[in-house]
């Protein structure tokens, strides 16, 4: 008591530099002050982390919806344009089933034997059957950034396909030999993560079985390598490596999210065949894995109708793409598409995006009130019979009208000689829904099961559905992936559902950790978390948060910028007296309506708005801060550019669809047609002059064809996520090594780049100083500034700098 | 003698906050120097509508209830207030919460309406601490008067005095601040904390 206190007080006594004792009270006061401030700092950091996460997630989901919408639009086109119309020809191939079907023909088509491997090739030379040493070499080679020769790729893929075909829909694994099973979630082409997992946990072997739960490809830059590694292990240890299909193992999704592009750029000569073979392989991937008949591993999740017995019976390979329902020959009920008036009317109904199986989600949030350039919603049209009817007939209706388009196709194009197509009945639709649910669903906290309108496929399922499902099938745990989690994993539904995500730094360097689990006979998961990039290990938690936040905010500002016209109209509608001012509440509300992003705008506003007066914001001034310089090109006005920029993913996806032979090039005429397609999709006039201007300025090869990548680059519309990742890694490196910072000047870009490219960049040619500003220094300078003030100059530079291109490899 | 002075302050942070005065009340009073019972109902709300929206947004960010009921745990109350720019001590937070027991911190919930008057009350606390206060406070540890303090010493103090921080918290706070000799330049340290 007394002693203790005395001792401690002596211990804590401080002396100043003259040796005088300082009263303990001062010491304590100092301590408390620091502690208070630290706690505030930590709380603010936590808040920023949370809203940054929100931003990334909402933007990701918004983007996903786009893809579905686009696809539905193309379906609409198929139905409405005449068979011979050029638009239809451009895209019809995507609806075509694979023409070549018999095994012998397949083998011939994918023959690799006449592909020569040059002597200078120093990568792995595989001989089949594969063995462990070769696979280890393969992993090593990829670690050293080598690329496997296309001959071996094709050979490996063929062998994989042969194996997958004999696998059941449901993998069954047991832990009974005291083996621990390792389970990994989404990898999304991030090879570093896979290598890190192997490093921490060892590679697959007889003693070390692995389950990989889908989404191996897209977004990351090494999807091909990951696939090759996983398939190689599968071939060597077919009883110990299990692969589940994910929603990204789907060629249509790949068109948009980068895998197609990656393959074509890595394998210029044979990429097309590789992609086709992968299309087949994906459809042959098993759907789920069950461990000890107790634990279910599936990529997305379940719904209230999921039935494993049914799943076991389906012909999974018929479902090449989750976005393409099976063909059906039942007569359609109301062919909405044929009656375009009816169709347009329905489009103009207040509607949020419907999913493919459920055209209109109930309980959807307030739908878009103003439809301007975007939001071609609900192409799986609503029947006008009324909501009730719609819900009753949802699945049937949407599928039947969709399949009508397929019927048209099937009579004109080469018939799919898949044997049982004429036998399809409603069961095929049920099966399709089952598969969709398995691969696309997400858990939610409320009870029940509602359509997943955010993703456009699958459902949201609640804890009661989990309970019911587990009981019916005598299971105890569902392990799934599909959603990124801050810590790499997350339990929900009373710890009966576990989400596992293995791609660290998914949104941005520092955004999240990845995780994998080990499961022993006791079926209790043991978690291992990690973060792949070595550079972030040196960063503290707050630094990680700041970096991620910076990227998220930048993306958000960009989004705001490209919606300027819509936002302006929204503001002006509120500001009826034309004062030029708007209160923050209204500001937030308007943004939410225009962007459809449910974010905490009030909390975010200090980061996006430089100053307010009496709680009101001068919105013209704000745009001015956000705005980029006026375009030099007179023929293309700002709104058009905004539009094209906003829909660049869609534009690129359409390009890739139009590029039927996957060559990476399209002709002038096709390009013209593409833009016309886009204008129909957006219901916005893209005039011939604009198109001509674009065409002329983008044919930099002067050979009458347009390189898709180059076109996108001409717009400075490169794959932003990769660009951002590359840039932030570069900055990290520079931070860590204190290298002199490289300035990116527009002069490095192609000097023959079209004029309009300047539109989206600032006139940085005039002010090179502004470029140097956007580097790590300004990044930290930004952050050091107080919360309520953001440096408008650097905002502008940041936004401009999005558009300046780092030459892609 | 020193022990008498130190005794009431050191072990229980709930007692009279040392930050308020150099010389505490001669007889340590168990209740806080403020009114013994904090009547939140009588606190008038002076926030504007815009501010309330902002608070609501922040509140929602911290809402972890599975169904989004706009409730936070007692333990989160301090964090939300701090995230909104205020600076209560843990003692202050416990006071506005009505001095809950330790186990209640994670089991009892608080909705937005109840939160607002608490926030209002906290926002009235003037004693926020300025940059100079900090510098003064840290100068205490600057043995050589050269603008640096020993990291290890600071860690010790933060973890043992006042409203003690956990080792984790201290690590996070000090991450990247110590130089090769384990010293911290406290002016830049303070800037680092204040820039949040």
């Amino acid at each position: 008591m007394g002693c203790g206190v005395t001792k401690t007080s002596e211990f804590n006594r401080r002396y100043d530099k003259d040796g005088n004792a300082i009263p303990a009270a001062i010491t304590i006061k100092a301590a408390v002050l620091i502690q208070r401030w630290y706690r505030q700092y930590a709380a603010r950091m936590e808040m920023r982390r949370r809203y940054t996460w929100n931003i990334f997630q909402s933007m990701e989901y918004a983007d996903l919806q786009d893809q579905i919408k686009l696809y539905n639009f193309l379906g609409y086109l198929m139905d409405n344009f005449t068979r011979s119309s050029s638009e239809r020809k451009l895209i019809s191939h995507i609806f075509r089933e694979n023409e070549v079907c018999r095994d012998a023909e397949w083998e011939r088509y994918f023959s690799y034997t006449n592909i020569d491997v040059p002597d200078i090739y120093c990568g792995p030379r595989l001989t089949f059957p594969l063995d462990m040493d070769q696979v280890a070499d393969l992993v090593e080679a990829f670690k050293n950034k080598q690329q496997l020769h296309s001959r071996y790729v094709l050979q490996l893929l063929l062998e994989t396909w042969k194996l997958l075909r004999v696998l059941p829909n449901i993998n069954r694994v047991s832990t009974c030999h005291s083996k621990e099973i390792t389970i990994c979630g989404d990898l999304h082409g991030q090879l570093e993560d896979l290598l890190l997992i192997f490093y921490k946990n060892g590679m697959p072997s007889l003693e070390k079985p692995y389950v990989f739960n889908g989404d191996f490809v897209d977004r990351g830059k090494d999807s091909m390598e990951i696939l090759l590694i996983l398939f190689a292990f599968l071939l060597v240890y077919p009883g110990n490596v299990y692969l589940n299909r994910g929603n990204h193992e789907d060629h249509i999704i790949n068109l948009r999210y980068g895998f197609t592009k990656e393959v074509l750029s890595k394998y210029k000569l044979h990429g097309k065949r590789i992609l086709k073979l992968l299309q087949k392989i994906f459809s042959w991937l098993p759907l789920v894995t069950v461990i000890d008949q107790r634990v279910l591993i599936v990529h997305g999740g379940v719904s209230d109708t999921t039935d494993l017995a049914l799943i076991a019976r389906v012909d999974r390979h018929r479902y090449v793409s989750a976005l393409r329902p099976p063909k059906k020959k039942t007569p359609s009920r109301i062919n909405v598409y044929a009656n375009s008036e009816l169709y347009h009317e329905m489009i103009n109904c207040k509607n949020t995006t419907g999913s493919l199986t459920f055209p209109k989600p109930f309980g959807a949030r307030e739908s878009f009130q103003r439809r301007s350039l975007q939001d071609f919603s609900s192409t799986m049209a609503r029947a006008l019979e009324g909501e009730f009817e719609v819900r009753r007939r949802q699945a049937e209706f949407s599928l039947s009208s969709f399949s009508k388009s397929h019927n048209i196709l099937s009579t004109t194009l080469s018939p799919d000689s898949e044997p049982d197509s004429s036998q399809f009945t409603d069961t095929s639709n049920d099966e399709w829904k089952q598969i969709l649910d398995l691969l696309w669903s997400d858990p939610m906290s409320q009870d029940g099961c509602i359509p997943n309108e955010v993703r456009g496929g699958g459902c949201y399922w609640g804890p009661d559905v989990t309970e019911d499902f587990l009981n019916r099938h005598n299971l105890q745990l569902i392990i799934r992936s599909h959603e990124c989690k801050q810590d790499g994993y997350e339990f929900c539904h009373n710890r009966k559902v576990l989400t596992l995500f293995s791609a660290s730094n998914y949104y941005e360097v520092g955004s999240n950790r990845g995780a994998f689990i080990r499961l022993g006979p006791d079926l209790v998961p043991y978690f291992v978390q990690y973060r792949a990039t070595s550079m972030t290990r040196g960063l503290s938690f707050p630094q990680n948060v700041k970096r991620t936040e910076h990227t998220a905010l930048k993306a958000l500002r960009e989004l705001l910028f490209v919606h300027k016209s819509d936002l302006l109209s929204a503001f002006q509608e509120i500001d009826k007296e034309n004062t030029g001012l708007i209160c923050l509440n209204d500001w937030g509300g308007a943004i939410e309506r225009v962007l459809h992003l449910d974010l905490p705008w009030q909390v975010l506003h200090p980061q996006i708005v430089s100053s307010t007066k009496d709680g009101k914001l001068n919105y013209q001034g704000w745009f001015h801060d956000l705005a980029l310089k006026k375009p030099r090109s007179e023929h293309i006005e700002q709104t058009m550019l905004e539009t094209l920029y906003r829909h660049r993913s869609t534009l690129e996806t359409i390009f890739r669809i139009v590029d039927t032979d996957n060559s990476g090039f399209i002709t002038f005429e096709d390009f013209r047609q593409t833009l016309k397609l886009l204008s129909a999709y957006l219901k916005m006039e893209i005039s011939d002059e604009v198109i001509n201007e674009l065409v002329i300025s983008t044919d930099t090869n002067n050979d009458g064809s347009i390189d898709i990548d180059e076109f996108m680059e001409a717009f400075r519309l490169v794959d932003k996520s990769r660009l951002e990742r590359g840039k932030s890694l570069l900055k990290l490196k520079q931070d860590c090594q204190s290298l002199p910072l490289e300035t990116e000047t527009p002069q490095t870009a192609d000097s023959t780049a079209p004029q309009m490219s300047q539109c989206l960049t600032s006139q940085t040619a005039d002010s090179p100083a502004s470029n140097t500003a956007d580097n790590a220094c300004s990044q930290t300078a930004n952050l050091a500034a107080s919360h309520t003030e953001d440096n408008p100059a650097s905002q502008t530079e940041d936004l401009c700098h999005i558009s300046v291109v780092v030459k892609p490899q | 003698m020193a022990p008498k002075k130190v005794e009431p302050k050191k072990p229980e942070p709930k007692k009279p906050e040392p930050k308020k005065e150099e010389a505490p009340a001669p007889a340590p009073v168990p209740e806080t120097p403020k009114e013994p019972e904090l009547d939140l109902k009588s606190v008038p709300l002076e926030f504007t509508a815009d501010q309330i929206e902002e608070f609501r947004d922040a509140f929602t960010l911290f809402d972890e209830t599975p169904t989004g009921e706009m409730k936070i745990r007692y333990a989160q109350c301090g964090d939300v207030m701090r995230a909104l720019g205020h600076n209560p001590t843990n003692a202050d937070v416990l006071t506005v919460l009505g001095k809950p027991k330790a186990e209640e911190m994670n089991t009892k919930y608080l909705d937005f309406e109840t939160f607002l008057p608490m926030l209002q009350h906290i926002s009235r606390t003037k004693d926020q601490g300025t940059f100079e206060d900090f510098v003064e406070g840290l100068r205490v540890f600057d043995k050589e008067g050269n603008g640096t303090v020993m990291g290890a010493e600071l860690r010790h103090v933060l973890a043992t005095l006042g409203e003690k921080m956990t080792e984790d918290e201290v690590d996070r706070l000090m991450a990247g601040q110590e130089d090769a000799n384990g010293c911290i330049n406290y002016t830049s340290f303070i800037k680092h904390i204040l820039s949040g």
Side-chain angles (χ1 to χ4, degrees):
Chain A
M1 235 190 65
C3 301
V5 169
T6 317
K7 230 196 274 180
T8 330
S9 76
E10 285 300 322
F11 194 51
N12 281 327
R13 180 159 305 171
R14 293 289 179 276
Y15 298 89
D16 65 17
K17 53 188 194 305
D18 302 322
N20 302 321
I22 298 170
I26 296 189
T27 315
I28 292 176
K29 174 177 172 178
V32 173
L33 204 54
I34 298 176
Q35 287 156 347
R36 263 170 74 196
W37 271 102
Y38 169 73
R39 295 200 163 104
Q40 192 201 54
Y41 170 74
R44 293 189 95 122
M45 202 55 64
E46 177 60 19
M47 183 169 78
R48 289 160 74 177
R49 184 191 71 75
R50 286 177 186 232
Y51 68 58
T52 300
W53 193 256
N54 272 12
I55 294 176
F56 277 129
Q57 285 221 303
S58 347
M59 291 181 67
E60 178 181 16
Y61 290 155
D63 191 56
L64 268 173
Q65 282 186 42
D66 251 357
Q67 172 73 346
I68 308 281
K69 274 190 258 183
L70 172 66
Y71 189 74
N72 292 339
F73 166 72
L74 296 176
Y76 157 72
L77 279 186
M78 290 307 300
D79 230 14
N80 270 27
F81 286 95
T82 61
R83 281 175 211 160
S84 57
S85 86
S86 45
E87 287 93 337
R88 206 173 109 139
K89 276 201 199 128
L90 280 180
I91 56 176
S92 59
H93 72 103
I94 205 174
F95 290 88
R96 220 180 292 158
E97 296 285 339
N98 290 312
E99 319 84 74
V100 184
C101 63
R102 265 174 276 135
D103 293 353
E105 290 183 50
W106 272 117
E107 299 238 4
R108 243 198 324 254
Y109 181 66
F110 294 120
S111 167
Y112 55 86
T113 44
N114 45 6
I115 303 179
D116 282 327
V117 182
D119 290 331
I120 54 162
Y121 169 73
C122 52
R125 289 168 189 259
L126 305 177
T127 56
F128 287 77
L130 285 180
D131 58 35
M132 188 53 212
D133 289 333
Q134 291 194 69
V135 182
D137 284 344
L138 190 63
V139 175
E140 198 58 35
F142 289 153
K143 216 189 275 187
N144 298 326
K145 314 267 184 258
Q146 286 178 323
Q147 190 173 301
L148 187 66
H149 194 276
S150 44
R151 180 203 172 99
Y152 302 119
V153 171
L154 281 168
Q155 197 171 1
L156 197 150
L157 291 180
L158 268 176
E159 293 300 314
T160 308
W161 176 49
K162 284 185 203 161
L163 173 56
L164 287 176
R165 283 166 64 202
V166 302
L167 292 182
N169 297 341
I170 302 183
N171 290 321
R172 293 199 183 268
V173 193
S174 75
T175 60
C176 62
H177 301 297
S178 312
K179 277 191 285 197
E180 277 191 325
I181 300 181
T182 309
I183 305 169
C184 301
D186 290 20
L187 288 165
H188 279 302
Q190 297 187 191
L191 184 60
E192 319 87 59
D193 286 300
L194 185 59
L195 294 175
L196 188 56
I197 295 174
F198 286 165
Y199 176 72
K200 279 179 175 286
N201 197 50
M203 294 199 277
S205 68
L206 290 173
E207 288 75 39
K208 208 172 287 258
Y210 267 78
V211 178
F212 292 95
N213 200 10
D215 274 11
F216 317 122
V217 302
D218 278 334
R219 293 208 167 96
K221 60 178 180 48
D222 296 311
S223 305
M224 195 65 217
E225 281 68 34
I226 290 196
L227 277 185
L228 292 170
I229 292 178
L230 295 182
F231 291 158
F233 275 114
L234 179 67
L235 289 172
V236 176
Y237 298 115
N240 275 278
V241 173
Y242 301 93
L243 304 178
N244 285 346
R245 188 176 182 185
N247 63 311
H248 277 260
E249 274 71 58
D250 180 329
H251 70 285
I252 295 185
I253 300 286
N254 297 150
L255 276 174
R256 189 188 186 93
Y257 289 101
F259 182 50
T260 309
K261 189 162 159 180
E262 179 190 325
V263 174
L264 292 177
S265 68
K266 286 181 176 168
Y267 295 99
K268 297 203 187 331
L269 204 46
H270 300 284
K272 179 184 160 205
R273 284 197 291 157
I274 292 178
L275 284 172
K276 258 238 159 355
L277 186 44
L278 280 169
Q279 210 175 304
K280 267 222 157 300
I281 287 180
F282 287 162
S283 72
W284 276 107
L285 284 170
L287 298 170
V288 306
T289 300
V290 176
I291 299 189
D292 284 352
Q293 305 188 61
R294 283 275 166 279
V295 177
L296 177 74
I297 308 180
V298 63
H299 176 74
V302 298
S303 75
D304 51 0
T305 54
T306 301
D307 178 2
L308 289 182
L310 204 155
I311 301 280
R313 287 195 306 263
V314 304
D315 284 330
R316 66 181 189 272
H317 68 282
R318 291 196 196 292
Y319 305 95
V320 176
S321 165
L323 297 183
R324 209 159 92 196
K327 287 167 53 178
K328 206 163 90 104
K329 292 209 161 116
T330 58
S332 68
R333 293 175 185 271
I334 300 175
N335 187 354
V336 161
Y337 295 143
N339 185 343
S340 58
E341 251 176 41
L342 186 66
Y343 190 72
H344 280 292
E345 206 177 301
M346 283 189 281
I347 296 303
N348 290 328
C349 286
K350 290 188 181 187
N351 239 329
T352 56
T353 313
S355 71
L356 289 169
T357 46
F358 299 95
K360 182 169 195 252
F362 41 91
R365 53 196 142 106
E366 194 53 42
S367 49
F368 321 136
Q369 287 160 4
R370 292 170 60 90
R371 194 149 317 171
S372 51
L373 306 168
Q374 53 177 327
D375 304 321
F376 186 85
S377 70
S378 182
T379 54
M380 281 308 185
R382 302 189 46 184
L384 286 182
E385 303 152 47
E387 282 238 28
F388 183 71
E389 278 289 272
V390 168
R391 284 184 207 169
R392 210 159 51 76
R393 301 192 194 179
Q394 270 166 1
E396 242 182 292
F397 174 76
S398 61
L399 293 171
S400 63
S401 55
F402 200 79
S403 66
K404 183 167 195 295
S405 64
H406 282 253
N407 288 338
I408 296 178
L409 279 178
S410 60
T411 52
T412 52
L413 308 169
S414 32
D416 183 343
S417 11
E418 295 252 335
D420 302 314
S421 51
S422 55
Q423 312 299 338
F424 279 22
T425 59
D426 279 322
T427 49
S428 65
N429 294 326
D430 290 339
E431 290 176 0
W432 183 55
K433 178 183 184 300
Q434 294 266 339
I435 295 183
L436 216 54
D437 288 340
L438 286 179
L439 265 40
W440 286 78
S441 302
D442 290 313
M444 65 173 174
S445 39
Q446 300 97 312
D447 280 344
C449 189
I450 58 174
N452 190 329
E453 82 266 14
V454 170
R455 302 229 190 223
C459 67
Y460 283 121
W461 88 92
D464 57 339
V465 176
T466 298
E467 198 62 41
D468 180 56
F469 175 81
L470 292 176
N471 286 335
R472 265 189 293 127
H473 293 93
N474 223 347
L475 298 165
Q476 70 190 47
L477 174 66
I478 299 176
I479 299 178
R480 41 92 64 176
S481 304
H482 199 38
E483 283 180 303
C484 184
K485 295 294 175 195
Q486 175 86 4
D487 289 314
Y489 73 94
E490 190 174 276
F491 275 107
C492 67
H493 292 190
N494 213 6
R495 293 183 80 91
K496 299 257 175 74
V497 173
L498 169 64
T499 302
L500 185 63
F501 197 81
S502 300
S504 65
N505 302 330
Y506 178 63
Y507 290 124
E508 164 58 86
V509 171
S511 66
N512 65 291
R513 291 194 277 183
F516 62 89
I517 64 178
R518 287 206 287 265
L519 215 57
D522 57 358
L523 298 181
V524 172
Y526 171 78
F527 298 93
V528 179
Q529 295 160 300
Y530 54 85
R531 212 190 279 273
T533 314
S534 56
M535 289 182 241
T536 53
R537 267 185 234 133
L539 289 182
S540 61
F541 173 73
Q543 282 175 308
N544 269 335
V545 172
K546 284 178 187 169
R547 242 170 239 289
T548 319
E549 183 197 19
H550 185 78
T551 308
L553 290 171
K554 206 149 118 172
L556 203 54
R557 276 188 229 119
E558 182 204 328
L559 202 60
L560 289 167
F561 168 72
V562 297
H563 283 84
K564 173 180 170 178
S565 319
D566 290 346
L567 285 172
L568 202 52
S569 321
F571 293 155
Q572 280 165 340
E573 211 182 76
I574 297 175
D575 178 25
K576 297 219 164 50
E577 293 128 40
N578 238 335
T579 60
L581 297 173
I582 186 171
C583 78
L584 281 176
N585 244 341
D586 290 333
W587 172 83
I591 294 191
E592 185 146 341
R593 282 195 302 277
V594 171
L595 290 189
H596 314 298
L597 285 181
D598 186 13
L599 292 175
W601 296 105
Q602 295 286 354
V603 168
L604 287 173
H605 91 262
Q607 308 284 9
I608 315 176
V609 171
S610 48
S611 63
T612 56
K613 210 190 236 180
D614 304 324
K616 282 191 174 267
L617 161 72
N618 173 347
Y619 53 87
Q620 291 284 9
W622 177 56
F623 278 127
H624 193 260
D625 287 342
L626 272 186
L628 306 176
K629 307 290 193 288
K630 272 213 153 65
R632 283 208 201 122
S633 169
E634 279 115 40
H635 301 287
I636 305 188
E637 33 103 35
Q638 182 64 23
T639 344
M640 167 60 60
L641 278 166
E642 244 180 60
T643 311
L644 288 171
Y645 189 82
R646 196 187 316 167
H647 295 277
R648 61 195 180 283
S649 298
T650 306
L651 187 57
E652 183 171 354
T653 310
I654 298 182
F655 277 151
R656 296 205 180 277
I657 294 176
V658 165
D659 175 22
T660 48
D661 59 358
N662 279 334
S663 61
F665 288 88
I666 58 176
T667 64
F668 269 173
E669 197 38 52
D670 283 348
F671 179 78
R672 211 180 291 272
Q673 292 299 336
T674 306
L675 287 170
K676 287 226 174 291
L677 259 178
L678 187 67
S679 78
Y681 174 66
L682 301 176
K683 301 175 92 170
M684 174 182 179
E685 182 67 36
I686 300 184
S687 70
D688 281 335
E689 290 103 45
V690 171
I691 296 183
N692 286 334
E693 168 114 7
L694 288 171
V695 163
I696 292 167
S697 52
T698 54
D699 177 22
T700 50
N701 299 336
N702 279 323
D703 60 358
S705 70
I706 292 166
D707 181 332
I708 297 179
D709 286 325
E710 203 164 336
F711 175 76
M712 299 309 287
E713 182 181 329
F715 261 87
R716 305 292 200 250
L717 303 173
V718 291
D719 179 358
K720 207 171 133 313
S721 60
R722 286 196 214 164
L723 176 61
E724 288 304 313
R725 185 186 292 237
K727 276 166 59 179
S728 63
L729 282 177
L730 181 64
K731 280 179 195 151
L732 269 173
K733 220 187 199 163
Q734 289 166 345
D735 281 355
C736 293
Q737 298 169 13
S738 311
L739 284 174
L741 298 162
E742 297 161 279
T743 61
E744 298 164 45
T745 63
Q747 281 82 23
T748 57
D750 195 344
S751 55
T752 60
Q755 273 195 341
M756 93 221 30
S757 71
Q758 296 301 329
C759 311
L760 294 175
T761 68
S762 73
Q763 288 160 351
T764 45
D766 300 341
S767 50
S770 65
N771 264 336
T772 52
D774 179 34
N775 51 35
C777 295
S778 82
Q779 203 174 348
T780 42
N782 255 347
L783 303 163
S786 79
H787 283 289
T788 51
E789 207 180 319
D790 208 347
N791 186 351
S794 60
Q795 261 186 11
T796 324
E797 280 140 16
D798 274 351
L799 204 45
C800 301
H801 211 71
I802 287 170
S803 318
V804 172
V805 160
V806 171
K807 271 280 183 229
Q809 270 83 43
Chain B
M1 239 220 96
K4 282 223 181 58
K5 247 204 239 172
V6 169
E7 195 173 38
K9 286 183 222 139
K10 205 182 64 56
E12 288 119 355
K14 288 193 182 113
K15 290 265 165 83
E17 291 95 345
K19 67 167 170 58
K20 286 230 150 61
E21 303 150 324
E22 298 258 337
V29 178
E31 289 117 13
T32 71
K34 295 188 233 164
E35 57 272 30
E37 284 261 342
L38 187 52
D39 184 9
L40 287 173
K41 292 190 191 49
S42 67
V43 174
L45 287 182
E46 292 158 1
F47 299 126
T48 67
D50 276 347
Q51 283 176 307
I52 294 187
E53 276 317 299
E54 184 174 343
F55 304 154
R56 200 186 300 273
D57 268 352
F59 199 84
T60 316
L61 270 178
F62 282 87
D63 172 10
E64 289 164 358
T65 57
T67 43
E69 296 156 31
M70 282 291 275
K71 289 202 174 113
I72 57 173
R73 284 173 288 120
Y74 271 30
Q76 292 174 289
C77 183
D79 285 336
V80 183
M81 291 180 176
R82 289 169 184 131
L84 289 170
H86 300 290
N87 220 359
T89 59
N90 283 346
D92 292 336
V93 175
L94 288 172
T95 309
V96 291
L97 283 173
K99 310 262 184 65
K101 308 196 209 12
E103 56 273 13
E104 289 178 331
M105 293 301 280
N106 271 317
T107 52
K108 279 180 91 165
Y109 283 78
L110 179 62
D111 65 16
F112 187 60
E113 300 309 319
T114 320
F115 173 73
L116 276 179
M118 294 181 181
L119 185 65
Q120 182 75 68
H121 180 83
I122 293 287
S123 70
R124 296 216 187 107
T125 317
K126 297 299 176 217
D127 187 2
Q128 295 278 328
T130 61
F131 182 75
E132 284 70 34
D133 284 334
F134 267 110
V135 177
E136 275 314 302
L138 278 174
R139 190 165 293 148
V140 163
F141 305 106
D142 181 0
K143 293 211 172 58
E144 289 159 42
N146 60 1
T148 65
V149 298
M150 285 298 298
E153 181 159 358
L154 195 54
R155 277 171 194 268
H156 174 76
V157 168
L158 291 175
T160 52
L161 296 185
E163 297 196 328
K164 302 174 198 161
M165 287 167 62
T166 64
E167 201 179 307
D168 237 7
E169 288 177 311
V170 176
D171 281 338
R172 281 206 178 158
L173 173 63
M174 316 264 285
Q177 297 296 315
E178 287 159 296
D179 67 14
N181 299 327
C183 294
I184 297 183
N185 174 323
Y186 52 85
T187 336
S188 45
F189 178 63
I190 291 169
K191 286 201 186 121
H192 158 68
I193 309 182
L194 288 179
S195 72

